Amino acid sequence: LEYRYNNEGNRDPALNNALAKIYVDINKEPEAFLKNNKFYDHRVVGKYCENRDSYLAFVAYREGLCDQELVEVTNNNGLYKQQARYLVERQNSDLWAYVLSEDNKHRQQVINQVVQTALPESTVPEEVTQTVKAFMTANLPNELIELLEKIVLENSLFSEHRNLQNLLILTAIKADKRDRVAEYINILTHYDAPDIAEIAKSHDLFEEAYTILKKFKLHEQAVKVLVKDIHDIERATEYAEEVNEPVVWKKLAKYQLQHKLVKESIDSYIRAFDAEAFPKVIAAARETLMFDDLVRYLQMCRKKIRDPEIDSELVHAYARTNRLADLEDFITGPNCAQIQLVGDQCFQEGTYEAAKILYNNINNFGRLASTLVRLKMFPQAVDAARQASSINTWKEVNKACLDAGEYRLAQQCALNIIVKPDELDELIRHYENAGHFDHLINLMEHGLGAQNAHPGIFTGLAILYSKYKPEKLMEHLKMFHSRLTFNKVYQACESNLQWSALAFLYVHAEDYDKAAKVMIEHSVDAWDHVPFKEVIVKVNNQDLWYQAVEFYLNEHPSLVSDLLSTLPRLNHTKVVHLVDKAGHLPLIKKYLVAVQQTENIKAVNEALNNLYIEEEDYDALQDSINRFDNFDAIKLAKACERHELIEFRRIAAQLYKKNKRFDQSIEISKKDALFQDALKTVAESGNREAAENLINFFVQNNNPHGFAAALFTCYDLVRPDVVLEIAWTHKMMDFAFPYFVQVLREYTSKVDELVNPKTKKPKQQEENLEQSGFQTGPVLEQPPSFPGVPFVSGIPPGMVINPLNHPHLVNSTGHMGITVGLNPGINQPLNQGINTVLNPGLGFAPVVPGQQIDFSSQPGSSEFSGFIGFS
């Protein structure tokens, strides 16, 4: 086998496996062969060696990186040291996880060998790093601490390794080994102090963090831990005294300020000579009212920086500490203070003396006036307001003087206010709320004479008169109505029930509708007949006319007719209904008569007719009925029918007759023995029954003269046999005889006409023609002839000729002539191609013989089967 391996170069795994097994069995340097030969199967050979020599099996597995087999053989044979060294050298995280898992019962023995042997022997940093990482991953802090102590604390190659020192301290922190943490931070010197301190703080190891920071002279962070985490301001102050560095004092001052230790904070900032935090220091000093300490701090700040806020706050601090002399000296010297802003602050805080000095320094007379008012220096305040020349300043000083009872000074201010229209209402309200009515009126009266007086002053005074001195109101309105703002005065007058003044304003504002309405609704105070008539004719809302009529009917009925004569374009029907409802129609009779003469209105006519009935003026009623027919005749007839005067009943009969109610008319006339009226009514009715009834009435009442008159009047209506019967029965033949004579004459004439056939046909034909609408033309004695035109004869009158059956009617051009019926025995030519024909002389009505007829214009012609016939 050696020959084939060495001379032939056979690298077959089976050959190399056989060699390895023989070397192991005969113990011929098997370890060297296993380490140097790379061609055998390590798992096969290792398995072969397990029962013969476990160490050789370990070597075979190690060379072949057979992790699982190696761990198993070393565990089974107690080769923990070899396993530990292999783990460190292998640097495989998965293998470490498998070995360090809780399920591995050999874990502790392996860990012990790693800590005691394998890792201390290692000189490769990566092996150490990987091992530590594996312990951390397996969450073995105690074992990790032991491991790191072995590496770091003992004199080894990695004793001063920064990461390992950091890891040792961090592991002790996480394992909650406070005593060891304190020991480590004191012994070790190469760890990252700031990071370790932060981690210690995160685990509430504040003293340890402070120790670390102090050891490494991180003073700012150390004092921070003292004040922020340990909360020991006293120790922090002692520490600052000890190190005496500005940065420490600054940090301490910041935390003192946060804990409201303003005085201590200011002292610390002064020792730190730090002016950067002045906004916070100022705010804290303001809040705690430590202005004396603030003065010291701001004086220090001015030595370092120039800032308007610092100078302004120093001025304010002088004012708050009442160091007015220092204040005045400061603002008169070089400075960049915001005097206006500080003055406003002093004013708001009530330090008015300081504010007065500041405002006076910058000539702010408006704010100076306000300040002087607070100091009760009213004359000086008025002078300052005059220099300020500001409306707001005048208002403020006026109010203060008024509240203080300085009325003369208040008026001086107010005269400068009332000339501003926008400010007048507020001024008036203030005076009124204070109850100074007389002073206010006096002020407004003085304002009338001002050069720049505006309508608001006149309006305001009018309202004040309305409220407090109504006796002066009308005089003021009459003098200055053209300079008033009417709407405001309207409201005042209405609120104070001053109706006469309100109507006066509406009239002068040309709001006639409202003026009329006020006069109507408040007539006791505002109405007068003549002015009302002048107003009512100018209103736009015509409904007010009728309200006025109703108002007059209720309160001044005797003047209603005069009012109606004034109003134009009235709805007379509406007026009649309105007055009739009130029961005062007689009061407007004159008006009704005047309207009736120009307009035939039903309501007016009926109203007058009713008045005439009430007044029993039948002549006027008769005249009204005859001249004006637009009324309810039946209604009036019924009213007159029941009247006790016969003339009115006679009018009722006339009305019935006029409206074709003949029976009612006849009955009324019969009752009142107005036989002539009854006869006329019957004759006009044309009713035979009514006529015979009237004849019977006369006969039954033994009135032969009425009987004779009825026969004459109703001649065409009564029947001769009926008359003969009545006359003979009641022995009134003598009175009926004239009637029978007339009847006999009429019948004789009719018989004569029948016996003699000669009648006036032409005349009758002309009458028929006129009735039919045809125009008559000349009658031709002999029809004209048309040479060359064929003739037709022997056609009965009215017969329709069909050209299809009479081909000889075709004219020379091939067109048909019109088809007409011709009287027989007369030859009549047919016109060629035209729609006219001449009657041959024996035509029938309504055609006059010889007349030319245009068929296209005669709708009376008949059409049969598409052809026109004519008789």
Side-chain angles (χ1 to χ4, degrees), residues 615-677:
E615 296 173 356
E616 298 184 351
D617 188 352
Y618 51 82
D619 291 330
L621 178 60
Q622 185 68 57
D623 180 65
S624 175
I625 292 172
N626 293 337
R627 294 175 59 192
F628 309 104
D629 59 354
N630 188 8
F631 61 90
D632 189 342
I634 302 303
K635 181 178 179 181
L636 180 61
K638 290 181 179 179
C640 294
E641 183 180 357
R642 297 187 296 271
H643 204 281
E644 60 185 4
L645 295 182
I646 189 173
E647 290 297 333
F648 286 101
R649 297 197 296 275
R650 187 175 186 184
I651 291 173
Q654 292 177 7
L655 292 171
Y656 281 131
K657 179 179 71 173
K658 193 173 183 179
N659 287 273
K660 307 300 182 182
R661 296 194 178 188
F662 300 108
D663 292 341
Q664 291 173 273
S665 176
I666 294 168
E667 287 300 321
I668 293 174
S669 299
K670 285 162 58 176
K671 287 180 182 179
D672 291 332
L674 299 174
F675 302 125
Q676 185 177 359
D677 293 346

Side-chain angles (χ1 to χ4, degrees), residues 704-705 707-712 715 718 720 723-728 731-746:
H705 299 287
F707 173 71
L711 294 177
F712 175 77
Y715 175 79
V718 296
V723 175
L724 179 61
E725 180 185 355
I726 293 173
W728 182 79
K731 303 184 184 303
M732 291 187 182
M733 289 298 294
D734 293 341
F735 292 95
F737 196 80
Y739 166 78
F740 286 118
V741 172
Q742 178 65 26
V743 169
L744 183 60
R745 175 70 181 86
E746 184 178 341

Side-chain angles (χ1 to χ4, degrees), residues 560-706:
V560 68
S561 184
D562 185 29
L563 175 68
L564 290 172
S565 64
T566 305
L567 298 175
R569 304 185 308 279
L570 278 173
N571 184 334
H572 303 297
T573 301
K574 189 173 182 178
V575 173
V576 169
H577 289 318
L578 187 64
V579 178
D580 186 30
K581 183 178 179 181
H584 294 307
L585 275 177
L587 296 177
I588 65 169
K589 180 180 178 182
K590 182 178 178 181
Y591 157 75
L592 295 174
V593 172
V595 172
Q596 190 182 47
Q597 301 307 314
T598 57
E599 303 181 48
N600 188 15
I601 301 175
K602 181 179 180 181
V604 174
N605 294 337
E606 291 180 348
L608 274 176
N609 292 340
N610 291 333
L611 284 177
Y612 292 147
I613 293 174
E614 291 180 8
E615 296 173 356
E616 298 184 351
D617 188 352
Y618 51 82
D619 291 330
L621 178 60
Q622 185 68 57
D623 180 65
S624 175
I625 292 172
N626 293 337
R627 294 175 59 192
F628 309 104
D629 59 354
N630 188 8
F631 61 90
D632 189 342
I634 302 303
K635 181 178 179 181
L636 180 61
K638 290 181 179 179
C640 294
E641 183 180 357
R642 297 187 296 271
H643 204 281
E644 60 185 4
L645 295 182
I646 189 173
E647 290 297 333
F648 286 101
R649 297 197 296 275
R650 187 175 186 184
I651 291 173
Q654 292 177 7
L655 292 171
Y656 281 131
K657 179 179 71 173
K658 193 173 183 179
N659 287 273
K660 307 300 182 182
R661 296 194 178 188
F662 300 108
D663 292 341
Q664 291 173 273
S665 176
I666 294 168
E667 287 300 321
I668 293 174
S669 299
K670 285 162 58 176
K671 287 180 182 179
D672 291 332
L674 299 174
F675 302 125
Q676 185 177 359
D677 293 346
L679 290 171
K680 291 180 180 180
T681 303
V682 171
E684 185 176 340
S685 71
N687 189 324
R688 175 178 291 173
E689 183 181 356
E692 292 177 353
N693 288 338
L694 183 59
I695 290 174
N696 284 324
F697 172 78
F698 286 134
V699 172
Q700 292 171 4
N701 287 279
N702 196 23
N703 187 348
H705 299 287

Side-chain angles (χ1 to χ4, degrees), residues 407 411 431-432 434-446 461 464-465 468-469 471-472:
Y407 301 116
Q411 182 169 319
Y431 268 82
E432 286 184 314
H436 302 306
F437 310 121
D438 293 335
H439 292 294
L440 177 58
I441 292 175
N442 183 42
L443 168 65
M444 299 295 283
E445 289 173 345
H446 277 78
L461 184 57
L464 292 173
Y465 281 149
Y468 310 116
K469 291 188 178 181
E471 65 277 5
K472 290 187 175 184

